Amino acid sequence: MLTSVKWNMALDFSGQNLRGHNFKGRKDLAGANFSYADIRGANFSGANLTGANFSHATAGLQRRWVTVLVIVSFLLSGISGFLWVFNGYLVSLIFSSTIQNQIGGWVVLIMFIAFYCITIRQGFTDGLGYLAGAVALALAGAGAGALAVAVAVTGAGALAGAGALAVTAVVAVAVAVTVAGAGAGAGAVALAGGGTLLSLYISWQAIKENEKYSLVRNIAIAFAATGGTSFRGANLTNADFSQATLKSTDFRNTILTNIHWHQAKLLDRVRPGKTYLDNAQVRQLLVTGHGQDKNFDGQILRGINLKGANLADASFISADLSEANLQDADLSRAKLKQTQLDGTNFTGATLTGAYIEDWGITNTTKLHGVRCKYVFMRLPTKEDPDPLRKPDNKQEVFADGDFADFIKPIFDTLDLYHNQGVDPRAVAIAFKELAENNPNADLRIVGMEVRGEDKFLLRAKTVPDADKSQLSAEYFDLYNQYKALPKADLIYLMAQKDGQVQSLEIAFRAVTRGLKEVAETPKKQSNFNLQGAQFAGGLVDADTVNAQQIGGNITNYNPEQRQNLAEAAAEIQQLLNQLGQTYPTNTLLEKQIVVTEALKEIERNPTLKARVIGALKVGGTEALKELLDHPAVNILLAALEGWQDAE
C-alpha cells in the first residue's frame, strides 16, 4: 500500500511494501536501499538507480494482475478450442456426400499435416509462414492455441496452463461431436486433440528457450510482464540484484553496467529487450558464476559483471567485453581472440594460458595485479597446440607484474591487417600519406609480420590518445584507392614520392616475399620485428640502410635516379601490356616472341632505349624487376642485361 512507504534522507526502503508504487523518472534514487522490499508492480521507468540495492527484493506482478492473466489465458484457450473444432469440421468434410466437399476436406487435412511437420521440424515461425500462405482462418486457430498455452504456463504457472489445456480439450470434444456427428466427429476430435497436443509441445519448447519457438516465448513473456515491475530506460549502473526474485520484470533499454546478479531468481522470465539478458547461457553465467568451457563468441557483453566468475577454457572470440568487470575472474586458457576490451577491468584476474590473438585492449584496460604465468599469441591448432607462447622459453614464466609490462606496448600501436593480395606499393604510399595527414598521431612503424598464406600485419606506434579506429579506416580507404589503380599509374605515382616511400615499399616487398615460403611450408612461422627500424617519421636518413630484419639492403636513389628508374619501368610495363593484347604468353616460345617484339619497339625509340640502359646502370635488373609485372619479365631483363654489357 502507498501509505506504508516511509521516506527518509537515507532513501532506505528496505523491507517495505512498495507494490504498485510509482518511481518513474526519479533522479534522486542513486544508492537507495530496496533490499527485501516488495516491488511487485512498481514503476522505476527512467529513474536514476545508480548503485541501488535490490538484493532479496521481490519483483513481478501484483496478485490482481496474475488473476487477470489467468482469466485471459482461459479465454484464449476457449477460443482456441472452438477454432480447432472449426478446423476439425473442415477436415470432416472428407465424409461429405459431395465430391467438392470431400476434396476440400482432404486439402485441409493435408495442409494441417504439413503445418504440424513444419512446426515441429523447423519451428513455429516457419509453420505460421506456411499457414499464412494457405488459410488465414487456420492461422488464427493455431496461433491462438499456442499463445494461450504459452502465456498460461509462463505467466500464470503450471496450474493455469493445465486448466487451459483442459478447457481446450473438453470444448473440442463436446462441440465436435455435436456439430459433425459420429463419423465426422471422430475426425474433428482427432484434429482438435492434435491441435491441443501441438500447442502443448510448442509451449514446452518455448519455455525451454528453443530458438525455433522464440516468437511464442517472446510474446508470452511480454504479455506476462504487462503490469509487472518496470525498469525500462532506468540507469542501474552498479546496482545489486543478488538473490532477488525478478520474474515479469521489464529491463528494456535499461543501462545494465556492472550489475550484481548472483543467485537472482527467475531471471529467465524477465523482458530483456536487446540487453545481454536475452541470452540464456549468459543469464545462467550471471546467476551461478560458472562459465567454464562455455562459448560466448560474438556476444555483446558490454558492462557485464563477471567478478570472481569461473571462465576457464571459455571462448569469447569477437565478443564485446568492453567496460566489463572481470576482477578476480579465472580466465585460464580462455580464448580472447579479437575480443573488445576497452575499459575492461582485469584487476586480480587469472590469464595463465589465455589466447590473446589480436585482442582489443586499450590504454583504459585495467591489468593491475593480473595473475599470469604465460600466454599464447595465437589460437591453438592440431599442428601447433601452443602457438607463440610468451615467454618464448617454455621453462620460463612471467613474474608478478611482468605480464602488464609485457603487454603495455600494444596499447599504443595501430595494427593494420591485410587479408589478401598485399600490394607493397599501395601499402607504402597509403601509410606515408596517413602519417602526413595525421602528424599529431606520431605514426612510427615498429613491426611487420607475415601471417598464413596471404595475410600481412603492419604495426605502427601511435600516441596514447590517438583514435585508432579512425586511423585504421582512413588508412584502408587510401590503401584500397591506390591498390585499385593500374600498375603503370601506381609506378608513376611512386616516382613522384620521396625516397622514404620507395625505401618503405622495398622493405615491404622484402617482408611479403616470405608469403610464398609460408604457403609452401605451413609449419614455418615468418615474423619480422622492426622495432627501432628506420621507417615512417624519419623513414630512412642514410643512403644505405643495413636491414637484416627484412633480409637485405635498402638503397636510396637520388631524385633524378628515382625518376629515371620509375619512368623507364612505367614505359616498359605499358609496352608489355600493349603487346599482351596481341601475343599470348602461355609457353616459353610465346614469351620469347613477346620479348622480341618489345626489344624491337625499344630499339625504334632511342630516348626510351637510353632511359632503360641508364636505369639498368643505376639499379640493375633486380631494381627493374621489382617494378615490373609480366610473365615474360625474366626473359626480357636477361636480354636487356645483354644490352647493358654491349654498351
Side-chain angles (χ1 to χ4, degrees), residues 272-430:
K274 296 182 179 180
T275 68
Y276 53 71
L277 296 177
D278 189 43
N279 184 281
Q281 188 167 253
V282 173
R283 291 196 301 268
Q284 184 71 13
L285 170 61
L286 291 168
V287 172
T288 65
H290 298 300
Q292 183 170 0
D293 206 28
K294 300 296 185 181
N295 188 319
F296 302 98
D297 293 351
Q299 291 290 325
I300 299 176
L301 304 174
R302 293 184 67 91
I304 196 169
N305 187 340
L306 298 175
K307 183 177 181 179
N310 179 8
L311 302 171
D313 299 295
S315 181
F316 293 95
I317 297 173
S318 298
D320 186 355
L321 279 168
S322 297
E323 301 179 16
N325 184 351
L326 296 172
Q327 293 182 72
D328 301 315
D330 184 0
L331 288 151
S332 303
R333 301 173 301 281
K335 296 179 178 66
L336 299 174
K337 178 180 178 180
Q338 296 178 350
T339 308
Q340 298 180 45
L341 298 165
D342 182 29
T344 304
N345 189 350
F346 283 102
T347 302
T350 300
L351 286 172
T352 298
Y355 301 91
I356 61 173
E357 180 178 353
D358 306 333
W359 68 341
I361 59 175
T362 69
N363 58 351
T364 62
T365 307
K366 300 177 180 64
L367 295 168
H368 179 71
V370 166
R371 301 179 181 91
C372 182
K373 295 181 179 179
Y374 56 89
V375 291
F376 299 102
M377 306 304 290
R378 297 285 182 277
L379 285 179
T381 62
K382 291 182 179 179
E383 295 78 15
D384 189 1
D386 300 330
L388 286 181
R389 180 191 187 274
K390 298 295 178 180
D392 296 293
N393 186 344
K394 293 185 178 181
Q395 306 305 316
E396 295 181 5
V397 295
F398 290 120
D400 290 345
D402 281 359
F403 176 74
D405 294 335
F406 161 75
I407 214 70
K408 186 179 184 301
I410 298 178
F411 294 161
D412 303 331
T413 60
L414 171 67
D415 293 342
L416 302 170
Y417 297 95
H418 302 72
N419 290 327
Q420 57 186 358
V422 182
D423 189 321
R425 298 186 187 94
V427 170
I429 298 173

Side-chain angles (χ1 to χ4, degrees), residues 24 98 114 156 179 212 236 239 338 449 486 576 581 588 611:
K24 184 176 181 180
T98 65
V179 173
K212 293 180 181 180
L236 287 169
Q338 296 178 350
E449 183 180 335
L576 291 172
Q581 297 176 6
L588 178 60
R611 184 178 293 122

Side-chain angles (χ1 to χ4, degrees), residues 601-646:
E601 291 296 328
I602 296 174
E603 285 279 12
R604 295 191 189 104
N605 189 338
T607 303
L608 174 58
K609 181 178 180 181
R611 184 178 293 122
V612 170
I613 294 174
L616 289 170
K617 290 180 179 179
V618 171
T621 56
E622 285 301 314
L624 271 178
K625 186 177 180 179
E626 293 287 351
L627 300 173
L628 295 174
D629 182 18
H630 193 272
V633 65
N634 290 330
I635 301 174
L636 175 63
L637 291 175
L640 292 178
E641 192 170 21
W643 272 10
Q644 182 183 5
D645 294 339

